């Protein structure tokens, strides 16, 4: 039995699948990842991306933050790829119970997934730090300089920056989903970003699947490892 056939069989036999994904899931939709050879962190800016995408930088250099954010974090024309679509299909069929994602692009929801736990927030939610009024991502994209609310307050994207904590409710729900999962599929992530990557230690089952282009720290622990593009692989199921 090939690895793909094994994966297909496990999916058919499972009715409580949880998917844990990262930037690689959106690469096939044209959104660059952060850590690969041609990823965002390998590109040259006046400051490293980790510095620009920090809470401190956002507070003290907001204009430079938003220039980078508009150029490198907003891909509002991106469309779901076969990975997003397959996961949404499994949820509709009652097989998949949750998508836990490190991505902020909203493509899982665009594909039709309902139970999406966004560990790092979403570009599609933006709010005024002064009055709390909400704004769509297009407002940030189309604004100039520092985006301002009608009340004059600064609008902040609801994304988790470096130095900021993850949402405790999202973490708790993610842990619960992983603990209860019959099958956990990890896809498109290097499992290098903590605390998000640490969540998978709560999985207690024996169908841990890792699908990623490059090796990950969890390959040895996994029951099935497939190296390749997540969209191409899920698209064949």
């Amino acid at each position: 039995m090939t690895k793909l056939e094994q994966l297909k069989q496990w999916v058919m036999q499972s009715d409580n699948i949880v998917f844990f994904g990262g930037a690689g899931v959106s690469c096939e939709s044209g959104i660059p990842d952060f850590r690969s050879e041609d990823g965002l962190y390998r590109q040259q800016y006046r400051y490293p991306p980790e510095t620009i995408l920090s809470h401190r930088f956002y507070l003290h250099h907001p204009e430079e933050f938003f220039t980078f954010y508009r150029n490198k974090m907003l891909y509002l024309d991106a469309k779901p790829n076969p990975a997003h679509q397959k996961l949404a299909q499994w949820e509709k069929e009652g097989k998949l119970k949750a998508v836990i994602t490190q991505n902020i692009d909203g493509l899982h929801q665009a594909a039709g997934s309902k139970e999406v736990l966004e560990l790092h927030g979403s570009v599609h939610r933006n709010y005024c730090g002064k009055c709390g009024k909400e704004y769509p991502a297009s407002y940030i994209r189309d604004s100039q300089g520092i985006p301002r609310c009608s009340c004059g307050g600064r609008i902040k994207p609801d994304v988790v920056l470096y130095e900021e904590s993850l949402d405790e409710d999202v973490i708790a729900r993610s842990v619960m989903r992983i603990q209860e999962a019959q099958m956990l599929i990890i896809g498109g992530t290097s499992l290098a970003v903590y605390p998000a990557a640490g969540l998978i230690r709560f999985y207690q089952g024996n169908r841990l699947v890792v699908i990623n282009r490059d090796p990950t720290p969890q390959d040895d622990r996994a029951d099935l490892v497939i190296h390749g593009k997540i969209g191409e692989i899920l698209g064949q199921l």
Side-chain angles (χ1 to χ4, degrees):
M1 184 182 293
T2 67
K3 289 186 174 185
L4 199 62
E5 288 168 343
Q6 178 72 83
L7 177 60
K8 192 170 190 174
Q9 186 181 84
W10 281 357
V11 169
M12 287 174 60
Q13 293 169 348
S14 303
D15 60 3
N16 187 347
I17 302 170
V18 169
F19 179 82
F20 181 97
V25 178
S26 294
C27 284
E28 289 161 271
S29 292
I31 299 178
D33 70 355
F34 277 50
R35 288 178 171 75
S36 66
E37 285 301 317
D38 52 353
L40 190 57
Y41 285 179
R42 302 292 178 115
Q43 299 175 26
Q44 297 301 309
Y45 290 91
R46 204 152 71 97
Y47 298 94
E50 294 100 327
T51 300
I52 299 173
L53 295 173
S54 69
H55 180 75
R56 192 174 299 145
F57 196 89
Y58 167 78
L59 289 180
H60 298 296
H61 306 277
E63 195 142 346
E64 211 160 344
F65 170 88
F66 278 106
T67 297
F68 180 89
Y69 183 82
R70 289 187 192 96
N71 289 341
K72 297 297 176 184
M73 307 303 286
L74 289 181
Y75 293 87
L76 303 186
D77 295 328
K79 297 287 186 283
N81 63 54
H84 301 104
Q85 291 158 353
K86 182 60 68 172
L87 294 168
Q89 177 194 321
W90 288 345
E91 183 184 51
K92 200 172 180 181
E93 292 170 354
K95 292 186 166 297
L96 186 104
K97 300 308 180 190
V99 167
I100 301 168
T101 181
Q102 299 172 86
N103 296 339
I104 58 175
D105 50 51
L107 289 180
H108 286 292
Q109 292 93 328
S113 289
K114 306 296 183 196
E115 182 64 10
V116 182
L117 299 171
E118 296 171 311
L119 296 171
H120 297 150
S122 172
V123 299
H124 295 285
R125 297 188 299 271
N126 304 274
Y127 60 90
C128 172
K130 193 173 174 184
C131 74
K133 184 176 178 182
E134 297 178 2
Y135 287 85
S138 56
Y139 186 88
I140 306 293
R141 179 194 62 196
D142 299 337
S143 62
Q144 301 293 320
I146 303 167
R148 296 285 180 186
C149 174
S150 52
C151 80
R154 187 196 301 180
I155 300 168
K156 183 183 185 297
D158 186 17
V159 299
V160 179
L161 302 176
Y162 289 99
E163 304 162 351
E164 294 180 345
S165 300
L166 303 189
D167 184 283
E168 288 184 11
D169 179 59
V170 173
I171 288 287
R173 287 163 59 202
S174 299
V175 168
M176 183 189 73
R177 289 293 192 185
I178 290 171
Q179 283 177 328
E180 294 175 349
Q182 179 185 10
M183 180 177 180
L184 177 63
I185 302 175
I186 299 169
T189 173
S190 61
L191 293 173
V193 179
Y194 283 80
L199 292 176
I200 63 170
R201 73 179 186 273
F202 291 101
Y203 178 62
Q204 299 164 0
N206 59 0
R207 289 184 176 180
L208 176 61
V209 180
V210 174
I211 305 170
N212 197 48
R213 194 179 63 182
D214 305 311
T216 80
Q218 293 296 321
D219 285 8
D220 290 343
R221 183 193 162 194
D223 302 295
L224 179 64
V225 178
I226 302 177
H227 289 143
K229 294 182 178 179
I230 182 85
E232 288 181 6
I233 291 162
L234 295 192
Q236 296 177 60
L237 301 181

